[in-house]
Amino acid sequence: MAVSPHAFPPRKRRPSAGSFLSPNFSDHRLLQSLLLISNEISSLQPIRYLLRRNSASIIRKTKLLSVLFEELIRNQVTVFSPSALLCFEELYIVLQRIKTLIEDCSNGSKVWLLMQTELIANLFHELTVDLSTLLDIFPVKDMNLNEDVEELVVLIRKQCLEKKAIVDPHDDNLRREVMKMLDRVQKEIVPDHSKLVEIFDNLQLRDSSSCRDEIESLEDEVQNQTDEKSKSDVVALIGLVRYGKCVLYGASTPRTTLRRRRSAMDVNYPVDFRCPISLDLMRDPVVVSTGQTYDRSSINLWIESGHNTCPKTGQTLAHTNLIPNRALKNLIAMWCREQKIPVTEPNEKVNSVIHNKTALEATKMTVSFLVDKLTASQSAEEANRVVHELRVLAKADSDSRACIAEAGALPLLVKFLGPDYPSLQVNAVTTILNLSILEANKTRIMETDGVLNGVIEVLRSGATWEAKGNAAATIFSLNGVHANRKKLGKKARVVKGLVDLAKGGPASAKRDALVAILSLAGERETVGKLVEGGVIEMISELMDTQREEAVTILEVVVKRGGLMAVAATFHLIKKLAAVLREGTDRARESAAATLVNVCRKGGSETVGELARVPGIERVIWEMVGMGTGRGRRKAASLLRIIRRWAAGLDGTADATPGYSTTSVYSSRIVLPG
């Protein structure tokens, strides 16, 4: 057998912080708390599908205990003996553990619970033994109880005298059947359909929705396990449930509320938490040799693409070591918790680094089933359900992405990129986006006939903003390969589609387009196409509403060859000056760097345009004193350029180190007091 019946450790339970601590209550308050928690347990339903006898038995005993607590409260005893108080405190702890165990079993994964029925049964037995021990030493005769309640305590004692844990034979047989099925899947044997139906029915997984919830519970369970073996075992179960869901209940109807991602793009988040490369919330911030901070995945892509410079400063990297910025990471995590945004560690994806032969074979079977269904689909509605399943599966892990692409899904998806069925178009382009996350699939997408052109058409004329935004995100993902970035940047349709989306799309789609444009601007060869495609005009329009993104792109465009086009656009100079006055620290830093480059190469007319902005020198002075480190340096350079121009000298060159700026400014510029 591939997996030992005892290979699955107990679920990592999640009790409240005070569940196993002695309560610091007054005597009366302690009794009230005991009555309250016993009533809460009594109101719980026994676990319906597994361990029903165990859970029902301990709930029944707790209900009888509540009668004892009610009687003690009615008697209004003011002082209890030390032994009685100790029993009450220990009973409180045991009852908390009982409540936690039942809730944990009821709310968690059914399949994972099945894998450890014997272990959970032992936990119920241990708690029953604890109750028995406490009732044995409980001073009944000192409590002034009526005769009926005393007899009740004796009854509970007898009921707690279980010699060993009780494992329901039905539960144990079902567990063994699942083990056998996992073993057969690992050996590449397709599960028996009737057995699969029987297992899923016994676990009350009777439709797509319940299977979907079960998969989510198992994904949560991966995070609750502390060792790789346990995580791998849970991943195998995810693969089996996912296969069963598709085979037994078919492709599920897409949820109308499904979104490509739920992230900080929907929230006005602090700009310092945003990666300068991707413009998205940083999940794993790291510091490079120049002192700038980036998200690890973004800067890794930058370095792997052949760059040896800092994206923000343009300085050559002394080394490529990435130092974790733990302080910033903790701040981001705290902020995400406050905003109720899920925080996913880079290594916390369910299957990103966890490889399991059983899970892989189950995924291959699932993909094969779905691709065959998609090939044979006769209606848009049927195809939409299948493509939606592929979309969800492609989001799950790298093995799923590889299996879907290797099974030949990409040519099939091309057929559904047309605008006739908007929901189908969204699911198809988002599936391609999810597939593109895998490095090997980027090349497949670029080389498979019709896929890239289909994505570009969705970008330009998609039926919905969501489809257009996901097409833009696909372009950004493909840009992760250096050769792809050059090829995509030369396509006028790509540039035009991204620029139009950035100018006219809603916030989320606009963000996707801007990130893709920023990645294209990193190549000197593509900047000319961006300028021809209207990126300068787009930046000008966005400077008022999305200042941070606009000025970041402008800085990169200027560095990579678009300087003269920017210098010739005088109205941008005033907008950059407005950013210096009112922007965030990061935006001001980018604006100052851009103005330095533009003023050095744009001639005295450009410098004069900036110098004529009212109060500009005071603004620059303030930035010299209070900006970021790089921002202060750029502001100082900008100040020297303006003062040289004011003195009638060459305003496009920086002052030499020994040059005294205080003796040469003229009446055209009024210095701040």
Side-chain angles (χ1 to χ4, degrees):
M1 186 175 290
V3 186
S4 163
H6 300 288
F8 292 88
R11 299 181 64 220
K12 182 182 178 183
R13 292 158 54 209
R14 296 167 289 276
S16 63
S19 294
F20 307 111
L21 299 177
S22 298
N24 185 20
F25 295 152
S26 64
D27 296 1
H28 183 69
R29 174 86 183 281
L30 180 56
L31 276 177
Q32 287 181 323
S33 299
L34 284 166
L35 178 60
L36 176 62
I37 192 170
S38 61
N39 285 336
E40 288 174 352
I41 295 171
S42 301
S43 66
L44 296 176
Q45 294 296 318
I47 305 169
R48 293 189 298 277
Y49 40 88
L50 296 167
L51 298 159
R52 182 176 181 83
R53 181 176 173 183
N54 307 77
S55 56
S57 174
I58 208 160
I59 289 173
R60 184 172 59 252
K61 294 178 178 68
T62 305
K63 193 169 187 177
L64 295 176
L65 278 175
S66 67
V67 177
L68 169 63
F69 301 140
E70 287 177 355
E71 176 68 12
L72 289 170
I73 290 174
R74 271 197 301 268
N75 287 347
Q76 296 184 342
V77 179
T78 56
V79 179
F80 293 103
S81 66
S83 60
L85 284 175
L86 179 61
C87 283
F88 290 151
E89 291 174 356
E90 293 300 319
L91 276 170
Y92 182 83
I93 294 172
V94 172
L95 291 176
Q96 282 279 19
R97 292 171 59 199
I98 291 171
K99 181 172 179 281
T100 297
L101 180 59
I102 295 173
E103 290 179 342
D104 202 39
C105 292
S106 300
N107 299 329
S109 162
K110 299 173 181 178
V111 184
W112 185 241
L113 182 63
L114 175 64
M115 291 300 98
Q116 11 164 9
T117 48
E118 184 177 340
L119 294 164
I120 298 297
N122 281 327
L123 287 177
F124 277 112
H125 177 64
E126 289 172 11
L127 290 170
T128 303
V129 170
D130 289 344
L131 283 179
S132 176
T133 302
L134 290 171
L135 290 175
D136 281 341
I137 64 174
F138 182 67
V140 179
K141 299 300 181 182
D142 300 340
M143 294 293 106
N144 193 28
L145 300 172
N146 66 47
E147 187 174 333
D148 290 342
V149 176
E150 284 190 12
E151 290 177 358
L152 180 64
V153 174
V154 174
L155 174 64
I156 301 172
R157 282 175 181 165
K158 290 180 179 179
Q159 290 183 353
C160 290
L161 294 176
E162 296 176 357
K163 293 184 178 180
K164 62 179 182 178
I166 300 171
V167 179
D168 192 316
H170 174 268
D171 294 351
D172 193 50
N173 290 335
L174 188 62
R175 178 173 66 96
R176 294 181 184 278
E177 287 297 329
V178 172
M179 298 301 240
K180 291 177 184 177
M181 187 167 289
L182 290 171
D183 183 51
R184 291 174 66 82
V185 169
Q186 187 183 54
K187 295 175 180 176
E188 303 179 28
I189 302 172
V190 175
D192 180 82
H193 191 275
S194 60
K195 286 289 185 187
L196 201 60
V197 169
E198 180 184 347
I199 290 170
F200 274 53
D201 185 63
N202 276 289
L203 292 174
Q204 298 186 3
L205 301 176
R206 294 169 181 162
D207 52 36
S208 289
S209 178
S210 60
C211 289
R212 197 159 44 212
D213 292 339
E214 176 64 16
I215 291 170
E216 290 177 1
S217 295
L218 284 167
E219 288 173 341
D220 290 341
E221 199 60 58
V222 174
Q223 311 310 324
N224 291 329
Q225 301 307 315
T226 56
D227 62 280
E228 292 303 309
K229 174 64 171 63
S230 301
K231 292 186 179 191
S232 178
D233 290 339
V234 183
V235 167
L237 294 174
I238 292 174
L240 180 63
V241 175
R242 189 176 283 138
Y243 172 78
K245 169 181 175 290
C246 292
V247 171
L248 298 182
Y249 309 119
S252 59
T253 304
R255 289 174 174 171
T256 56
T257 57
L258 182 67
R259 296 188 54 140
R260 171 166 58 85
R261 59 184 176 224
R262 199 270 183 182
S263 73
M265 70 163 49
D266 306 313
V267 186
N268 185 21
Y269 56 93
V271 294
D272 288 335
F273 294 172
R274 186 186 302 171
C275 175
I277 297 175
S278 68
L279 302 182
D280 210 348
L281 188 73
M282 287 188 278
R283 302 291 181 177
D284 189 13
V286 293
V287 180
V288 298
S289 61
T290 59
Q292 297 293 322
T293 297
Y294 303 93
D295 201 21
R296 185 184 294 275
S297 58
S298 298
I299 191 63
N300 272 336
L301 278 175
W302 173 266
I303 294 171
E304 288 167 6
S305 299
H307 297 93
N308 65 345
T309 57
C310 174
K312 190 145 187 71
T313 66
Q315 295 173 276
T316 300
L317 296 174
H319 54 77
T320 56
N321 297 334
L322 304 177
I323 303 169
N325 191 335
R326 292 190 177 87
L328 180 58
K329 185 175 182 178
N330 290 336
L331 287 173
I332 293 173
M334 288 170 58
W335 179 83
C336 285
R337 283 193 292 271
E338 291 172 359
Q339 299 296 324
K340 310 253 187 281
I341 295 173
V343 182
T344 305
E345 294 289 340
N347 62 347
E348 282 185 350
K349 295 293 182 183
V350 167
N351 223 0
S352 58
V353 294
I354 302 170
H355 298 285
N356 178 287
K357 179 68 161 58
T358 306
L360 178 60
E361 295 306 323
T363 297
K364 288 180 179 178
M365 293 175 188
T366 305
V367 169
S368 176
F369 175 82
L370 290 172
V371 169
D372 289 346
K373 290 279 287 185
L374 188 60
T375 303
S377 60
Q378 299 295 316
S379 67
E381 182 180 357
E382 182 182 0
N384 192 33
R385 288 198 295 269
V386 178
V387 174
H388 171 259
E389 286 294 342
L390 288 171
R391 168 184 176 173
V392 174
L393 189 57
K395 188 178 180 181
D397 53 66
S398 57
D399 283 343
S400 297
R401 295 178 197 115
C403 290
I404 292 170
E406 290 165 2
L410 281 169
L412 298 175
L413 291 170
V414 174
K415 298 187 300 182
F416 307 114
L417 291 175
D420 294 338
Y421 301 98
S423 177
L424 180 54
Q425 183 187 63
V426 168
N427 282 319
V429 74
T430 309
T431 303
I432 295 172
L433 166 61
N434 292 340
L435 291 174
S436 73
I437 297 171
L438 186 67
E439 199 71 14
N441 284 348
K442 298 183 195 296
T443 302
R444 288 192 179 103
I445 291 170
M446 295 292 290
E447 294 178 352
T448 302
D449 287 344
V451 178
L452 179 60
N453 283 333
V455 172
I456 295 172
E457 281 306 308
V458 174
L459 172 66
R460 297 185 64 204
S461 56
T464 63
W465 289 118
E466 183 181 4
K468 290 182 177 183
N470 288 359
T474 305
I475 297 297
F476 170 68
S477 179
L478 295 174
N479 283 343
V481 176
H482 187 248
N484 293 352
R485 190 157 59 243
K486 287 187 175 182
K487 184 176 180 180
L488 291 167
K490 293 177 182 178
K491 293 182 178 291
R493 291 187 305 151
V494 171
V495 173
K496 183 71 163 57
L498 291 173
V499 169
D500 288 346
L501 183 59
K503 290 165 71 174
S508 59
K510 193 188 296 283
R511 178 74 55 76
D512 288 322
L514 290 173
V515 168
I517 290 170
L518 181 60
S519 66
L520 290 176
E523 286 296 323
R524 186 172 293 275
E525 297 175 20
T526 66
V527 168
K529 284 287 185 182
L530 289 173
V531 172
E532 291 174 13
V535 74
I536 305 300
E537 292 77 7
M538 176 210 76
I539 290 171
S540 180
E541 288 185 25
L542 297 178
M543 199 74 85
D544 297 326
T545 56
Q546 290 186 274
R547 187 171 287 165
E548 179 91 15
E549 293 89 342
V551 76
T552 300
I553 294 172
L554 187 62
E555 181 185 3
V556 177
V557 168
V558 167
K559 282 183 180 178
R560 297 291 186 272
L563 189 150
M564 297 313 296
V566 175
T569 312
F570 284 148
H571 69 276
L572 267 181
I573 305 298
K574 292 182 179 179
K575 292 196 173 187
L576 286 169
V579 175
L580 289 182
R581 189 189 306 274
E582 301 171 354
T584 63
D585 284 347
R586 182 169 290 176
R588 295 169 72 202
E589 178 185 312
S590 291
T594 302
L595 284 170
V596 168
N597 286 328
V598 170
C599 287
R600 282 175 176 168
K601 301 295 183 181
S604 59
E605 289 185 9
T606 303
V607 183
E609 188 70 20
L610 176 62
R612 282 189 285 271
V613 174
I616 188 60
E617 194 164 355
R618 179 184 293 274
V619 171
I620 297 173
W621 260 116
E622 290 175 353
M623 188 170 174
V624 169
M626 297 186 296
T628 63
R630 179 173 178 252
R632 290 196 299 270
R633 292 193 300 273
K634 294 299 180 181
S637 295
L638 195 57
L639 191 61
R640 287 194 291 270
I641 290 172
I642 292 177
R643 286 182 162 181
R644 287 179 65 83
W645 172 86
L649 301 175
D650 180 9
T652 63
D654 226 335
T656 58
Y659 187 84
S660 175
T661 59
T662 58
S663 61
V664 295
Y665 57 84
S666 76
S667 59
R668 282 184 290 174
I669 295 292
V670 179
L671 285 177

